Amino acid sequence: MRGSRVLSSALPWVLALAGSAAASPGPTPGPAVPSIRAPEDRPYPGVIRLSVDASDIDRRIVRVHETIPLTGEDLTLLYPQWVPGGHAPENPIDRLSGLTISADGKPAAWTRDVVNVFAFHVDPPKGAASIAVDFQYVAPVREAVGPTEITSRMMDLQFLETVLYPAGYYARRIPVEAEATLPEGWSYATALGDAAPGPRVAFKATTLETLLDSPLYAGRYFSRVDLNPGAAAPVHLDVFADKPDQLEIKPAVLAAHRALVKQALKLFGSRHFDHYDFLFSVSGELEQQGLEHHRSSENGADADYFTDYDRKPEGRDLLAHEFTHSWNGKFRRPEDLWTPNYNVPMRDSLLWVYEGQTQYWGYVLTGRSGLWTRQQTLDMLAIVAATFDVQPGRRWRPLRDTTNDEIINPRRPQSWPDWQRFESYYSEGALIWLDVDTLIRERSHGARSLDDFARAFFGVDDGDYGVRTYVFEDVVRALNAVEPYDWATFLRARLDQAGAPAPLDGLKRGGYRLTYTDKPTDFFTAREVQNKYTDLSFSIGLTLGRDGVLKVVGWDSAAFKAGLTPGMTILAVNGDPYDADVLKAAIRQAKGSPAPIELIVKTADRFKVVQVDYHGGLRYPRLERDASQPARLDDILTPRN
């Protein structure tokens, strides 16, 4: 009753306000921004000439000069936005500086598009036949700016970062003649031509698409190794090192790298390149890149990759992964991931094929070639399986949604990575494809396998290094051609459902079971040493640096429930000064005691005592042979003759 009287007395004011709002004209749109011509499949009438001077290695400034013929149409220049292989709009336009445009020696006005900051509208003088474009690409000079691209001894030069190109054309229809100036005494390698010494290098005319898919590595200390001697389509390992002795490759190590090429060619039964270059930096300074291209790949490892090869097995699957991409990702590409130029948005919905199956073949080819022993491959698969066996983020986030991660988060650090999930389509995708492989083998009684799918789907049209796109239904159709089954339902269940068990059926069907023991495998220990951390993810639920700083704390783990957070530092364990072995001993002792593990931790300038109620002991993943199943996984890892 009382409320009714209040509402009644307020009603005239409400009606008055409503009438006032209705009478207001409100805002109206401002003037339309200039349109940007969509790409069309038509030839660009003229050749862009691109000159890149990368000789200023002290200041890491790359100077760019372009001559771009005019067509008589409105001119908009685009800086590439979407990075092929990066699957995201992450090309660093903030590093484009000093832009000037002129024609016949006279300045030409330019205006950055107010909506698309990667686009520049240009107003050239009337009657000009071409424009000159000059700018600098200012590469990172310290870690806070970004990963190192140029050092005093080597560089990774991306043409993707050093070009402006006209809107309105497919990249494959824009001709380019490029040249590069390098530091004196440096050699270079690129898919654009044979490796050679600099300093000035001119390349044959090509298309913008090929140029931007062909980065250049250069350096003071360089060696080139033929990985497929006598082949009509040669494959080279182009190694750039910080020091000359880091280029030395032992015969057995070289043999394993050559076996990788042999096993890949046997798997796919074709090659989609006329030559291929592994651009490979072994460095303590340059960014350790891993990026695929059609006729090359960018690869990086620690400076002691060759000199300390036996002690550092993790990461040896990188070359196998990137080489596989020449077939899966570059030649065969998801339809929604292919774009006509570098400023049309990519869509990443099929990365579980593009990256997930590539991750699978990366593991398999690394094992088949001997880059990993069979046991090392099994140990790596155990770590992958265990990661998803305990990953809490699988409860809420389906695998398919993680294919958006490169766009959502271009590899920024995460606070709770096992809960947020990140790029699970790689390694969880690999487990799904192991599941597919072993199911085909089981149903066909060993007569067929995923090798047959790889040859039929990726290995067609030997010698063709164009692009052939596909959709989900094409994948299902190709699987059914190998082994009839309801593959659509099989895949959807694993891609679209949250909360289902981790996809470990491939291991079981392959003749192995995931177990946990109180002693790590040799591979697990080597991985800890290589990465300079202590990994207790599968027991107490954390990973620590050598200084006791928490790198990762597992969501809902015992460490999480005790209030531990990444960034904290453990100072003491049960009253003793922190040491990794002291913490491990405390975890072992807690298994037979009801008492919690007591930690003294520091965060910023505060200290506190934390009680971790964990009694499960040390747990490390490994694969055990299950004799009730055929050893299909052993067959998968056996080299092909």
Side-chain angles (χ1 to χ4, degrees), residues 85-88 90 290-291 321 348 351-352 355-357 359 363 384 387-388 391 394 397-412 414 417-431:
H87 320 306
E90 57 187 4
L291 190 63
H321 181 101
D348 295 345
L351 285 181
W352 55 274
E355 295 290 4
Q357 194 174 141
Q359 188 81 347
Y363 294 151
V384 172
T387 297
F388 295 103
Q391 187 185 76
R394 300 186 73 260
R397 194 174 184 205
L399 179 67
R400 181 181 290 276
D401 188 58
T402 72
T403 63
N404 298 300
D405 280 348
E406 281 287 6
I407 300 172
I408 295 171
N409 171 16
R411 304 198 176 184
R412 292 186 296 268
Q414 293 177 302
D418 65 335
W419 179 244
Q420 294 170 264
R421 299 246 271 172
F422 184 67
E423 294 185 352
S424 295
Y425 54 83
Y426 275 92
S427 294
E428 187 175 333
L431 293 176

Side-chain angles (χ1 to χ4, degrees), residues 250-398:
K250 296 176 182 177
V253 175
L254 176 58
H257 286 77
R258 283 180 168 158
L260 167 62
V261 175
K262 177 182 177 181
Q263 291 300 318
L265 293 173
K266 284 186 175 295
L267 171 64
F268 295 110
S270 67
R271 80 286 183 276
H272 298 299
F273 47 81
D274 53 353
H275 66 278
Y276 189 93
D277 287 85
F278 289 103
L279 307 175
F280 193 27
S281 66
V282 290
S283 173
E285 299 179 64
L286 196 74
E287 177 188 12
Q288 292 187 7
Q289 184 73 272
L291 190 63
E292 67 273 12
H293 303 281
H294 206 136
R295 296 186 295 167
S296 66
S297 56
E298 299 169 68
N299 310 274
D302 291 339
D304 57 1
Y305 176 85
F306 292 116
T307 57
D308 201 13
Y309 183 83
D310 293 336
R311 291 200 315 119
K312 295 187 173 183
E314 189 184 34
R316 291 190 206 153
D317 59 319
L318 174 63
L319 297 180
H321 181 101
E322 302 305 343
F323 194 36
T324 297
H325 270 316
S326 183
W327 290 269
N328 179 10
K330 303 307 290 187
F331 173 64
R332 293 306 306 268
R333 198 174 310 173
E335 184 178 80
D336 63 359
L337 194 53
W338 176 86
T339 57
N341 70 17
Y342 306 95
N343 295 71
V344 173
M346 298 175 182
R347 292 162 292 166
D348 295 345
S349 67
L350 286 165
L351 285 181
W352 55 274
V353 183
Y354 181 120
E355 295 290 4
Q357 194 174 141
T358 295
Q359 188 81 347
Y360 177 67
W361 290 125
Y363 294 151
V364 170
L365 290 172
T366 304
R368 287 182 185 177
S369 66
L371 287 166
W372 280 337
T373 65
R374 175 172 295 181
Q375 188 58 52
Q376 287 171 331
T377 311
L378 294 175
D379 291 346
M380 183 64 204
L381 288 172
I383 294 170
V384 172
T387 297
F388 295 103
D389 184 41
V390 303
Q391 187 185 76
R394 300 186 73 260
R395 299 200 300 262
W396 73 272
R397 194 174 184 205

Side-chain angles (χ1 to χ4, degrees), residues 49 106 119 148 251 405 473 549 554 561 583 616:
R49 288 177 171 79
K106 300 175 183 178
T148 301
D405 280 348
E473 290 74 17
V549 175
K561 292 174 181 176
L583 179 56

Side-chain angles (χ1 to χ4, degrees), residues 447-518:
R448 293 177 295 281
S449 70
L450 197 65
D451 290 49
D452 298 293
F453 171 86
R455 193 170 297 107
F457 196 71
F458 301 115
V460 295
D461 296 339
D462 182 31
D464 179 1
Y465 49 96
V467 178
R468 181 181 291 192
T469 62
Y470 63 87
V471 296
F472 176 82
E473 290 74 17
D474 295 323
V475 177
V476 170
R477 192 177 302 112
L479 286 170
N480 275 312
V482 173
E483 178 61 37
Y485 190 66
D486 187 1
W487 292 111
T489 299
F490 175 96
L491 292 171
R492 293 291 187 197
R494 287 154 180 78
L495 296 170
D496 298 342
Q497 294 179 10
L504 304 185
D505 288 348
L507 289 175
K508 298 174 185 176
R509 205 180 293 111
Y512 286 86
R513 65 170 68 92
L514 174 65
T515 62
Y516 297 89
T517 67
D518 61 0

Side-chain angles (χ1 to χ4, degrees), residues 20 57 120 203 210 275 387 412 418 465 499 539 576 616-617 621-622 628 641:
S20 174
I57 56 175
F120 300 84
F203 302 106
T210 299
H275 66 278
T387 297
R412 292 186 296 268
D418 65 335
Y465 49 96
S539 53
D576 294 322
R622 67 175 64 230
S628 68
N641 295 319

